[in-house]
């Protein structure tokens, strides 16, 4: 398979052309004025306009984006890069752009399934603007963060609330001892006190102390060494039931899970943080996370292509972009009881979300089209959509501000551009105020308040064979293409959108 690694140089050259080809002076409109303009624009949108937009041709989308201030050359270069990558074996991609509160561009490339389990090319349905992608960790922002921000705006939630005051004392009292390799050993009583002190804010900051991603589903996992193929057995084993019983058992196992470090002492990105927040929200609202998000956000906003468990909600496999080729086996290199071995399509790729959380979790599980996700993300620009307020400006500011001087690249859940700390994610010309998130499967959202801009790029980069040798079990061939290089396309849109 010929990769388009050389094409990365073409992309860089294209960015250079765009950087020096803008030929326009950037306006110095105040941020407050821009926010007001966006708010007015969002309030003016209607479902009729959305339906009309779906009939636009590729050329008409380019015209619309150009009218919004995005350079035509940028869109042509992006189209060329992604088209070339797909021609050379990259699976697929979707792109959607919201500018000043309006969807001004969308495009799609590739097929919903490119390879079979052995890596052979197959024929399948063409990706359209309606194709659903597994958002992976972008789920965190557009479920848990949105729900929390909404409840805080309404005055119904204080994020400094302790987890034990929501989930009960068993969250700390049922903790067991595990001596994590490479971490300070503390007494069980100390660990219980740590867990009893945990707040929702600690988890939003990813400084709660939980291990990054314990394999509750893997019967061969050793939590002390984080060895995924151990003969010792998993003392926090949930199983691979992928049902509501497994979901209930997962909460019990999290209650037993000891912390690796004292809360606030380190920043370690952990999926468990958002699984716990998911359980907290369900306790607070009395509804499962998928139900609450559908009723509170997706349905009122008219978003029809965003859901958990798409195969249970009227979608077919061919409506979804496929992910890993051989289930969760990493090309046959991982083995545990109940592991999926066939190409994953229409089911969440993340194993904790699938096996342990019945497909509905706060850390992964959400599927969406780029268009619907871009519209949802645009709420972070003004707090409103179609005249309804979801977040106050104060809450948006609190959640997207740097969590500390030592970690300006993190907000409360949100990843921040800050002082060019995340160039590789957002592009090195993105404004410091920009924020967003990434997803393991190949998804990125970038929200730039200064430019009143949202860029959503969805790919299924892990729908390829894995490189060999690869002891990390994380190097897919799909990562070698230009399209999923997270900073490239946002950079080109940003520079093409400068006024």
């Amino acid at each position: 398979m010929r990769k388009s690694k050389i094409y990365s140089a073409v992309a860089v050259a294209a960015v250079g052309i765009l950087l020096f080809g803008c030929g326009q002076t950037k306006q110095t409109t105040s941020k407050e004025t821009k926010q007001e303009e966006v708010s007015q624009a969002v309030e003016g949108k209607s479902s009729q306009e959305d339906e009309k937009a779906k009939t636009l041709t590729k050329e008409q989308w380019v015209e619309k984006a150009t009218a919004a201030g995005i350079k035509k050359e940028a869109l042509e270069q992006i189209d060329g890069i992604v088209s070339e990558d797909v021609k050379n074996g990259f699976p697929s991609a979707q792109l959607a752009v919201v500018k000043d509160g309006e969807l001004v561009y969308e495009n799609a490339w590739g097929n919903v399934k490119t390879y079979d389990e052995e890596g052979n090319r197959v024929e399948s349905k063409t990706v359209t603007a309606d194709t659903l992608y597994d958002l992976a960790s972008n789920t965190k922002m557009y479920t848990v963060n949105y729900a929390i921000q909404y409840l805080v705006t309404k005055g119904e939630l204080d994020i400094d609330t302790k987890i034990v005051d929501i989930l009960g004392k068993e969250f700390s009292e049922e903790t067991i001892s595990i001596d994590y390799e490479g971490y300070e050993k503390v007494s069980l009583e100390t660990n219980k006190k740590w867990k009893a002190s945990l707040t929702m804010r600690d988890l939003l900051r990813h400084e709660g102390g939980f291990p990054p991603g314990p394999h509750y589903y893997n019967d061969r996992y050793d939590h002390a060494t984080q060895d995924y193929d151990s003969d010792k057995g998993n003392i926090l084993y949930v199983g691979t039931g992928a049902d509501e019983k497994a979901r209930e058992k997962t909460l019990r196992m999290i209650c037993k899970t000891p912390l690796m470090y004292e809360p606030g002492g380190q920043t370690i990105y952990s999926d468990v943080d958002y699984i716990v927040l998911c359980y907290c929200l369900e306790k607070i609202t009395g509804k499962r996370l998928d139900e609450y998000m559908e009723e509170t956000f997706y349905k009122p906003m008219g978003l029809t292509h965003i859901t958990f468990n798409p195969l249970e909600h009227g979608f077919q496999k061919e409506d979804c972009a496929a992910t890993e080729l051989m289930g969760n086996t990493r090309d046959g290199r991982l083995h545990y009881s109940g592991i999926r071995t066939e190409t994953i399509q229409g089911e969440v790729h993340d194993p904790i979300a699938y096996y342990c959380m019945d497909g509905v979790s706060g850390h992964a599980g959400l599927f969406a089209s780029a268009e619907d996700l871009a519209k949802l993300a645009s709420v972070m620009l003004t707090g409103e959509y179609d005249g309804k307020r979801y977040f106050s400006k104060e809450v948006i500011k609190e959640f997207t501000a740097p969590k500390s001087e030592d970690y300006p690249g993190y907000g409360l859940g949100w990843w921040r551009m800050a002082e060019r700390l995340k160039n590789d994610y957002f592009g090195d010309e993105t404004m410091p105020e920009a924020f967003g998130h990434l997803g393991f499967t190949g998804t990125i959202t970038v929200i730039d308040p200064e430019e009143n801009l949202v860029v959503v790029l969805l790919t299924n980069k892990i729908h390829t064979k894995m490189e060999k040798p690869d002891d990390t079990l994380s190097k897919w061939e799909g990562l070698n293409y230009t399209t999923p290089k997270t900073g490239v396309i946002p950079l080109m849109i940003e520079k093409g959108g400068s006024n």
Side-chain angles (χ1 to χ4, degrees):
M1 181 191 302
R2 181 169 69 88
K3 310 293 186 305
S4 58
K5 295 179 183 177
I6 298 177
Y7 208 74
S8 294
V10 177
V12 174
V15 171
I17 292 171
L18 293 170
L19 291 177
F20 297 100
C22 292
Q24 294 176 314
T25 303
K26 189 174 182 178
Q27 296 177 351
T28 57
T29 306
S30 70
K31 189 181 299 184
E32 290 78 11
T33 301
K34 282 190 173 184
Q35 293 293 344
E36 184 177 349
E37 290 172 352
V38 176
S39 180
Q40 292 172 351
V42 172
E43 290 176 7
K45 299 295 167 286
S46 68
S47 59
Q48 290 181 339
E49 289 176 322
D50 289 341
E51 287 302 315
K52 183 178 180 181
K54 287 185 178 295
T55 66
L56 295 182
T57 64
K58 185 175 181 179
E59 292 73 21
Q60 288 172 325
W61 276 119
V62 171
E63 291 177 5
K64 188 172 184 178
T66 303
I70 297 174
K71 289 186 70 65
K72 181 178 181 181
E73 291 88 343
L75 301 174
E76 291 176 342
Q77 292 287 355
I78 290 169
D79 189 26
I81 289 169
V82 184
S83 296
E84 184 74 4
D85 276 352
V86 169
K87 177 182 176 181
N88 290 323
F90 187 73
S92 72
Q94 268 183 352
L95 176 64
V97 180
V98 168
K99 183 76 169 76
D100 298 330
E102 182 178 3
L103 181 71
V104 299
Y105 184 76
E106 66 178 18
N107 207 342
W109 302 264
N111 299 317
V112 295
K113 184 177 180 180
T114 307
Y115 302 103
D116 64 15
E117 286 76 7
E118 302 302 320
N120 302 309
R121 295 290 289 261
V122 296
E123 296 292 328
S124 69
K125 181 180 175 182
T126 300
V127 170
T128 70
D130 289 334
T131 300
L132 301 183
Y133 281 77
D134 181 341
L135 302 184
S137 283
N138 264 297
T139 299
K140 294 179 173 72
M141 298 302 99
Y142 303 103
T143 61
V144 166
N145 257 60
Y146 265 41
I148 291 176
Q149 291 172 196
Y150 181 71
L151 291 170
V152 172
T153 294
K154 293 178 66 180
E156 297 178 4
L157 177 62
D158 179 354
I159 60 174
D160 290 313
T161 302
K162 292 180 179 179
I163 305 302
V164 292
D165 291 335
I166 302 172
L167 298 182
K169 293 182 179 179
E170 58 267 29
F171 177 74
S172 61
E173 292 181 352
E174 293 186 4
T175 305
I176 65 174
S177 289
I178 295 178
D179 291 331
Y180 294 115
E181 192 173 278
Y183 287 83
E184 179 187 1
K185 295 181 181 180
V186 298
S187 69
L188 179 58
E189 287 307 309
T190 295
N191 215 303
K192 288 182 178 181
K193 288 180 181 179
W194 285 355
K195 284 186 76 177
S197 71
L198 266 180
T199 66
M200 297 183 80
R201 186 185 297 272
D202 292 328
L203 300 183
L204 287 165
R205 287 176 166 178
H206 286 298
E207 55 186 38
F210 279 110
H215 295 199
Y216 296 117
Y217 52 86
N218 181 352
D219 53 359
R220 298 188 57 78
Y221 186 72
D222 183 351
H223 289 267
T225 63
Q226 298 182 63
D227 181 359
Y228 54 79
D229 192 20
S230 170
D231 291 327
K232 294 183 179 180
N234 188 340
I235 61 174
L236 295 173
Y237 184 56
V238 170
T240 54
D243 55 18
E244 194 60 35
K245 288 184 178 180
R247 214 168 180 271
E248 294 169 0
K249 188 174 182 181
T250 299
L251 177 56
R252 295 199 299 271
M253 293 302 105
I254 289 176
C255 289
K256 291 183 177 182
T257 302
L259 302 183
M260 277 185 159
Y261 58 89
E262 185 175 5
Q266 299 183 43
T267 295
I268 296 181
Y269 184 87
S270 173
D271 285 336
V272 181
D273 295 341
Y274 272 71
I275 298 173
V276 173
L277 289 171
C278 170
Y279 284 122
C280 288
L281 285 167
E282 292 179 344
K283 189 78 170 180
I284 292 166
T285 65
K287 296 178 181 179
R288 205 164 78 159
L289 184 62
D290 54 344
E291 297 172 356
Y292 183 77
M293 292 306 299
E294 176 69 21
E295 293 176 9
T296 308
F297 289 93
Y298 310 153
K299 188 174 181 179
M301 292 178 63
L303 306 180
T304 58
H305 286 74
I306 184 166
T307 184
F308 287 93
N309 291 323
L311 302 185
E312 298 176 11
H313 292 91
F315 295 96
Q316 306 300 315
K317 281 190 175 184
E318 56 268 25
D319 297 321
C320 308
T323 53
E324 193 171 345
L325 302 188
M326 298 179 67
N328 294 118
T329 70
R330 299 299 197 270
D331 283 3
R333 284 177 253 180
L334 269 181
H335 305 279
Y336 51 82
S337 300
I339 192 171
R340 290 176 289 180
T341 58
E342 297 182 353
T343 299
I344 299 174
Q345 190 172 13
E347 296 174 347
V348 59
H349 172 265
D350 183 272
I352 297 181
Y354 179 75
Y355 300 118
C356 303
M357 296 294 290
D358 196 23
V360 180
S361 184
H363 78 290
L366 191 64
F367 285 70
S369 66
E371 176 185 333
D372 272 12
L373 187 57
K375 292 176 181 177
L376 184 62
S378 71
V379 178
M380 289 299 293
L381 292 173
T382 64
E384 298 182 15
Y385 188 88
D386 201 20
K388 179 177 180 180
R389 176 160 294 281
Y390 291 92
F391 314 135
S392 68
K393 292 180 179 179
E394 293 74 19
V395 165
I396 292 176
K397 183 177 180 180
E398 178 184 7
F399 276 73
T400 58
K403 75 168 191 171
S404 68
E405 291 183 2
D406 293 334
Y407 292 95
Y410 275 110
L412 293 179
W414 296 99
W415 292 6
R416 305 180 69 256
M417 179 64 173
E419 297 304 318
R420 308 293 180 221
L421 292 177
K422 286 184 167 60
N423 287 355
D424 292 343
Y425 299 156
F426 300 148
D428 60 11
E429 292 294 324
T430 303
M431 300 303 292
E433 294 83 2
F435 56 91
H437 215 279
L438 299 183
F440 182 81
T441 48
T443 65
I444 180 170
T445 55
V446 178
I447 303 166
D448 189 340
E450 185 68 23
E451 293 292 336
N452 293 325
L453 180 72
V454 174
V455 179
V456 173
L457 175 65
L458 305 182
T459 80
N460 54 338
K461 66 182 182 182
I462 65 172
H463 181 58
T464 57
K465 295 287 287 183
M466 301 197 72
E467 293 186 351
K468 297 179 181 179
D470 174 22
D471 294 335
T472 68
L473 298 180
S474 61
K475 296 179 180 178
W476 277 269
E477 292 179 351
L479 277 63
N480 294 324
Y481 297 85
T482 302
T483 298
K485 303 295 182 187
T486 48
V488 174
I489 289 178
L491 167 61
M492 298 178 77
I493 292 291
E494 283 274 357
K495 295 311 298 182
S498 296
N499 293 316

